[in-house]
Amino acid sequence: MSPVLEVRDLRTEFFTAAGTLRAVNDVSFSLNEGEIIGLVGESGSGKSVTGFSLLGLIDAPGKITGGSVRLKGDELVGMAQPDLRRRRGRDIAMIFQDPIATLNPLLTIGQQMEMALAAHERLSPRASEDRCAEALERVGIPSARARLKAYPHEFSGGMRQRVAISIALLHRPAVIVADEPTTALDVSIQAQIVTEMKMLAREFGVAMIWISHDLAVVSGIAQRIAVMYAGRIVETGPAAQVLRQPRHPYTRGLLDSMPHATAPGQALRQIPGSMPSMMALPPGCAFAPRCAFASPACTSVPELTEAAGRSWRCFHPLDQPAQEGITS
Amino acid sequence: MLAFIIQRALQAALVMVVMSMIVFLGVYAVGNPVDIVIPPDATIAMREEVIRRLGLDLPLWKQYGIFAWNLLQGDFGRSFIYNMPVLELIGGRLPATLELVLISILFATVTGVSLGIYAGVNPESRIAKLIMGLSILGFSVPSFWVGLILILTFAVHFGIFPAGGRGETVMVFGVEWSFLTANGLSHIVLPALNLALFKMAMMIRLARAGTREAMLSDTVKFARAAGISEATILRRHVLKLISIPIITVFGLELGSTLAFAVVTETIFSWPGVGKLIIDSITVLDRPVMVAYLVLTAFVFVMINFTVDLVFALIDPRIRSGRQKS
């Protein structure tokens, strides 16, 4: 089966007055139909910019400067904006972190859904309302038709995110980029949304890129994980394997710094230092200055090593399992 | 909603009572009109007689009481100078100011908001920079100077528009309007432009700032990610998101321009209320001053009230917030 989305050496740069910032650096991955990949990293690692790049939504001074994004076989990089617009929402959609910010507070849910519907389909008002109500029902919103007349502030946080999800699903896209969709929600609601998204992905065969800094959430939904650091994907592999046996010291650091990787009463094991400024990346491996295993070799960029369905960029890959209690 | 309207109406009534007192006291403190009304060679007896007739011999609280009582019955008193009912005097001048101010504010808002949105959407473009440059100019150049330059350029040098006056008027609903005749319209262009410049500059700034903020918001990003076109995003999302500050300023400007278009009216000898109030201050025509200021307060209260209602129409959060309280 050919992948529904294939990203090769994607590169997105921002040309600011202070210098050029390479937010996405030779990122490659692919997604099969219905597959969920977790894109994990600290804030500022380029996860979200990667997501926006896939939809061609990079505003000046940013620009996609290289690589390729193939969606259902069609090249999106370099595609004219009007053509790209016709793809957005229909073939590839996006969900954001905070639904209170993404939904317009001054318009009803119905108005916003119909706007998204009308972007790609011409329907009678009647048919359009039916479709919207149906879409709301699908994400588990009770008395959907009546709720179309409600405003975003009349929904709870979890319900608002469901509305956003239903808008993203309106045209049954092949791929959804979910940018931290549960971060702004209560933990109990998070689990609900994760379960629901998993179900919807299976039901409609939607492939998903789940962007998150939270390994625990990602481990609950993604089949594969890609770990990003300073604009590069440093490690990918099946979720369970990456969590059980990280090969890149950075992935290991992320796992170790999760609260339940530490016995109660002990200080959390943080990764020493902080992410370098994207303006002044160290030569070679960007993680080297914070890495316990760094050697002189790390001043050049490590090639991608691939083995048994996994890949990593490291001169000193780890081979012991991570601490107990992380995998679930 | 009804509770809100009643609450605001009571507030408005209170404001009006307080304002009428302040105005009455303030005008009382400005000076004694008797010296101006009565010829210097009048006898003491004549003087006493005038003072009694105008009610100026009564204690202050009694004067205010009579004034307030008459006011409630719609009687604003008689002008000392023109010896005619104040309401008639102001009413005769008001249409001139009204048409001038409305035309200039609507023009300023429509062009200012359009230019501002353009500049907000394309902040780096050359046209946007030109627009912003013009708006700084509109802010910083004094209004009276612009008025003089407009007259010099378009009336004296090119002779396209008349330099002053109201031109021909036509009677509609018992009121004289000049914007309905071609000649009257040509008279209104320069003063309206003069009044509009500053407001247009302000609207440009407001619309641009709001648009820039809205364009960077997650709402717009989400709409783009759903494939909604830029034109639809501007029309249905951005225009609504930026409307609240614009309506606020629109209301404030409408009120203050209606009341104090004095400079422009003077330069273009436009026979509006602004000129009337300045004239009555110089001759201490107390009833005209008091009535004018009370009416101005009333106009402000009404405009603010309307603006609040419009907010509630636009923003559902305001509506439901009020239902709860």
Side-chain angles (χ1 to χ4, degrees):
Chain A
M1 190 169 59
S2 68
V4 58
L5 180 75
E6 205 168 6
V7 182
R8 281 278 152 261
D9 303 326
L10 183 65
R11 187 175 281 197
T12 302
E13 291 174 294
F14 288 84
F15 302 94
T16 66
T20 302
L21 183 155
R22 193 169 290 171
V24 179
N25 197 349
D26 293 343
V27 162
S28 302
F29 63 90
S30 66
L31 263 178
N32 292 321
E33 196 184 298
E35 189 182 18
I36 302 178
I37 187 170
L39 195 56
V40 182
E42 289 168 87
S43 29
S45 59
K47 304 168 300 203
S48 296
V49 180
T50 305
F52 282 116
S53 303
L54 298 181
L55 280 91
L57 283 176
I58 299 294
D59 283 333
K63 197 174 184 305
I64 298 175
T65 49
S68 124
V69 175
R70 283 184 169 276
L71 178 66
K72 300 207 285 196
D74 297 337
E75 179 60 57
L76 298 188
V77 174
M79 193 185 255
Q81 273 298 333
D83 297 326
L84 213 46
R85 183 194 72 71
R86 275 190 278 278
R87 293 311 193 88
R88 287 197 287 261
R90 206 177 57 187
D91 296 324
I92 181 166
M94 189 158 177
I95 307 169
F96 295 74
Q97 175 173 337
D98 189 1
I100 193 72
T102 51
L103 297 172
N104 187 333
L106 309 178
L107 299 174
T108 64
I109 298 302
Q111 286 172 325
Q112 302 189 49
M113 293 186 81
E114 274 157 34
M115 223 193 291
L117 206 52
H120 301 294
E121 283 179 54
R122 292 192 72 88
L123 291 171
S124 70
R126 176 93 223 167
S128 167
E129 196 189 314
D130 288 346
R131 275 280 293 280
C132 295
E134 199 185 304
L136 280 187
E137 258 161 43
R138 239 183 353 241
V139 294
I141 290 180
S143 52
R145 193 169 290 268
R147 298 296 266 164
L148 284 175
K149 292 194 182 60
Y151 288 91
H153 73 276
E154 296 169 296
F155 290 82
S156 67
M159 283 296 166
R160 270 197 292 267
Q161 192 59 291
R162 281 165 203 261
V163 171
I165 292 167
S166 81
I167 291 178
L169 281 172
L170 267 179
H171 300 280
R172 311 249 171 127
V175 178
I176 289 184
V177 178
D179 188 0
E180 308 242 9
T182 58
T183 307
L185 304 175
D186 291 346
V187 180
S188 56
I189 310 288
Q190 270 185 22
Q192 276 180 25
I193 297 278
V194 166
T195 316
E196 202 126 342
M197 294 281 287
K198 239 165 129 175
M199 224 177 62
L200 290 166
R202 199 171 319 132
E203 201 181 321
F204 297 126
V206 185
M208 239 186 293
I209 298 158
W210 191 283
I211 299 173
S212 180
H213 64 272
D214 189 343
L215 270 172
V217 171
V218 169
S219 65
I221 188 166
Q223 286 123 30
R224 278 194 306 137
I225 286 182
V227 180
M228 259 188 115
Y229 187 79
R232 282 182 199 276
I233 291 185
V234 293
E235 173 162 15
T236 56
Q241 287 181 33
V242 171
L243 294 171
R244 196 180 324 115
Q245 195 186 4
R247 304 305 302 258
H248 199 282
Y250 175 63
T251 315
R252 168 71 173 277
L254 278 183
L255 288 166
D256 283 351
S257 53
M258 283 166 72
H260 47 280
T262 314
Q266 282 192 305
L268 296 177
R269 279 189 293 266
Q270 305 171 351
I271 305 174
S274 58
M275 206 163 69
S277 154
M278 297 293 278
M279 294 284 192
L281 289 179
C285 175
F287 186 61
R290 301 170 74 185
C291 183
F293 305 90
S295 70
C298 299
T299 49
S300 60
V301 179
E303 285 301 310
L304 198 69
T305 315
E306 291 185 65
R310 301 187 56 177
S311 63
W312 57 85
R313 276 182 193 272
C314 185
F315 291 114
H316 309 287
L318 310 167
D319 44 17
Q320 312 119 302
Q323 303 287 318
E324 282 304 304
I326 303 132
T327 57
S328 49
Chain B
M1 204 61 195
L2 188 69
F4 163 70
I5 293 175
I6 292 170
Q7 184 199 346
R8 289 307 305 259
L10 289 176
Q11 276 176 15
L14 188 70
V15 168
M16 287 311 302
V17 170
V18 174
M19 266 311 294
S20 71
M21 284 180 188
I22 294 174
V23 165
F24 198 82
L25 272 176
V27 171
Y28 185 85
V30 169
N32 190 347
V34 175
D35 302 327
I36 293 178
V37 177
I38 302 169
D41 54 353
T43 62
I44 301 283
M46 275 169 75
R47 211 180 142 81
E48 299 278 294
E49 148 70 15
V50 169
I51 289 176
R52 208 171 19 258
R53 189 159 49 83
L54 296 178
L56 296 173
D57 55 338
L58 300 170
L60 182 58
W61 64 269
K62 232 177 194 168
Q63 286 187 37
Y64 175 75
I66 293 169
F67 161 75
W69 179 244
N70 289 338
L71 199 62
L72 285 177
Q73 291 161 332
D75 178 6
F76 280 73
R78 290 180 84 84
S79 161
F80 291 163
I81 309 295
Y82 299 94
N83 196 23
M84 61 191 279
V86 170
L87 216 48
E88 225 168 85
L89 197 59
I90 294 178
R93 300 285 202 108
L94 199 59
T97 298
L98 212 56
E99 65 179 350
L100 176 64
V101 167
L102 281 179
I103 287 175
S104 82
I105 290 228
L106 287 177
F107 171 76
T109 307
V110 171
T111 49
V113 169
S114 315
L115 292 176
I117 289 178
Y118 179 88
V121 173
N122 316 292
E124 299 300 325
S125 77
R126 202 163 295 182
I127 297 175
K129 283 176 181 153
L130 186 73
I131 292 171
M132 295 324 285
L134 283 178
S135 88
I136 292 175
L137 212 63
F139 265 126
S140 35
V141 179
S143 174
F144 75 88
W145 185 81
V146 174
L148 293 176
I149 294 299
L150 284 175
I151 290 177
L152 275 178
T153 316
F154 293 103
V156 178
H157 189 77
F158 291 116
I160 311 171
F161 296 114
R166 230 186 137 185
E168 283 171 27
T169 58
V170 61
M171 196 78 126
V172 177
F173 301 123
V175 182
E176 304 268 358
W177 301 102
S178 49
F179 77 100
L180 294 170
T181 66
N183 177 275
L185 205 57
S186 75
H187 278 81
I188 230 170
V189 170
L190 290 186
L193 194 63
N194 186 206
L195 268 183
L197 277 181
F198 181 82
K199 292 161 229 317
M200 191 163 81
M202 190 147 50
M203 288 294 178
I204 288 176
R205 299 244 137 206
L206 268 178
R208 185 186 99 114
T211 306
R212 289 207 68 180
E213 203 186 312
M215 291 308 277
L216 295 174
S217 72
D218 279 0
T219 303
V220 167
K221 281 187 193 152
F222 187 60
R224 280 187 181 147
I228 297 168
S229 67
E230 292 296 304
T232 310
I233 289 176
L234 278 183
R235 196 162 40 84
R236 298 203 49 192
H237 282 300
V238 174
L239 205 55
K240 247 189 158 173
L241 288 170
I242 66 172
S243 58
I244 288 206
I246 288 174
I247 290 168
T248 312
V249 171
F250 180 88
L252 287 174
E253 282 298 309
L254 181 62
S256 62
T257 316
L258 273 177
F260 311 109
V262 178
V263 173
T264 300
E265 285 184 358
T266 311
I267 293 174
F268 291 91
S269 37
W270 189 263
V273 282
K275 253 178 87 52
L276 177 70
I277 182 68
I278 291 299
D279 292 347
S280 47
I281 289 172
T282 38
V283 296
L284 287 179
D285 195 349
R286 205 186 270 182
V288 177
M289 287 153 76
V290 173
Y292 181 80
L293 292 175
V294 168
L295 278 176
T296 301
F298 181 71
V299 166
F300 266 95
V301 166
M302 286 316 290
I303 288 176
N304 280 336
F305 182 60
T306 316
V307 164
D308 278 345
L309 283 182
V310 174
F311 281 176
L313 280 180
I314 292 177
D315 195 333
R317 290 166 298 183
I318 297 176
R319 278 204 295 277
S320 61
R322 270 174 198 150
Q323 270 155 16
K324 268 170 220 153
S325 60

